[in-house]
Amino acid sequence: MNAAINANSKHRAANDTANTVTLALSGVHARFGLYGISDHEWKRLCATHLPHAMDERGGADNECAAVRADEIEDVLRLLLDHRSDDDDETRWLAHAIATACLGANHLYQDMGFPHREVLSELLRRHFSALFDKNTGNMKWKKFFYKQLCDRAEINMCKAPSCGVCEDYKKCFGAE
């Protein structure tokens, strides 16, 4: 009986993971399109997660994405450099997350998630090295851009450490 319960739990966890990935991809696609996905990859992604969207590439090449293409590419590279595996899903999620950074809301909202913990779990699973770097639980979009600044050796912070910064609540406060 324990084996059956264990197998059922693993099946449910796999379904939850697939549902979360599908929710992320469909949420970003509905809001922004998916930047940087080739036609071939788009067909494979749709066959796996978005069969209803096969003929709807969305706004991936919209004006905002075109203006901010370098920025999206930087976030995409950051995510791909920290991916936990080389699966198609992880690569597609990197594109979705980088595209969702165009949004004006919290990243989890722009991805269509009900709360931040869903995004955090997705990042922990698919981008664990990056997830592990966020030791202070900084808001994800701010964290990604802070990582990009650190990579470029640009210090945009107002204070020598987060703990004494006047904007601490903007980066670490409740969402």
Side-chain angles (χ1 to χ4, degrees):
M1 180 155 162
N2 283 343
I5 291 171
N6 245 358
N8 191 26
S9 294
K10 287 180 182 177
H11 177 72
R12 191 170 41 252
N15 282 341
D16 289 347
T17 300
N19 290 340
T20 302
V21 170
T22 299
L23 181 60
L25 295 171
S26 64
V28 174
H29 173 260
R31 288 166 182 80
F32 309 101
L34 288 169
Y35 178 84
I37 300 280
S38 71
D39 288 340
H40 174 72
E41 287 288 307
W42 176 250
K43 289 176 184 169
R44 292 178 53 229
L45 182 154
C46 286
T48 308
H49 291 284
L50 306 174
H52 64 280
M54 186 69 76
D55 297 325
E56 304 169 12
R57 277 307 299 254
D61 297 318
N62 69 28
E63 189 176 314
C64 186
V67 169
R68 295 174 61 186
D70 288 344
E71 180 182 335
I72 298 169
E73 289 293 333
D74 288 344
V75 175
L76 178 61
R77 176 60 33 218
L78 175 72
L79 290 161
L80 292 175
D81 287 349
H82 290 88
R83 62 187 164 200
S84 301
D85 56 53
D86 197 30
D87 289 350
D88 289 340
E89 270 188 357
T90 300
R91 203 170 48 259
W92 296 336
L93 283 169
H95 284 271
I97 294 165
T99 302
C101 283
L102 293 174
N105 299 309
H106 294 293
L107 185 56
Y108 79 89
Q109 293 169 328
D110 286 327
M111 293 188 70
F113 290 140
H115 48 79
R116 185 176 191 263
E117 289 74 26
V118 177
L119 174 59
S120 293
E121 179 57 27
L122 188 86
L123 292 167
R124 186 194 62 72
R125 189 178 312 116
H126 293 277
F127 306 94
S128 57
L130 194 58
F131 177 88
D132 291 343
K133 284 184 174 186
N134 191 359
T135 58
N137 200 24
M138 183 181 269
K139 294 174 185 173
W140 286 113
K141 197 183 304 185
K142 288 188 180 290
F143 176 75
F144 295 154
Y145 285 89
K146 171 99 170 69
Q147 293 298 300
L148 294 177
C149 287
D150 289 351
R151 274 186 168 194
E153 298 180 354
I154 299 170
N155 185 3
M156 299 292 289
C157 295
K158 297 178 180 180
S161 72
C162 293
V164 297
C165 182
E166 65 188 47
D167 286 338
Y168 183 87
K169 289 184 180 182
K170 291 179 183 174
C171 294
F172 295 96
E175 293 183 280

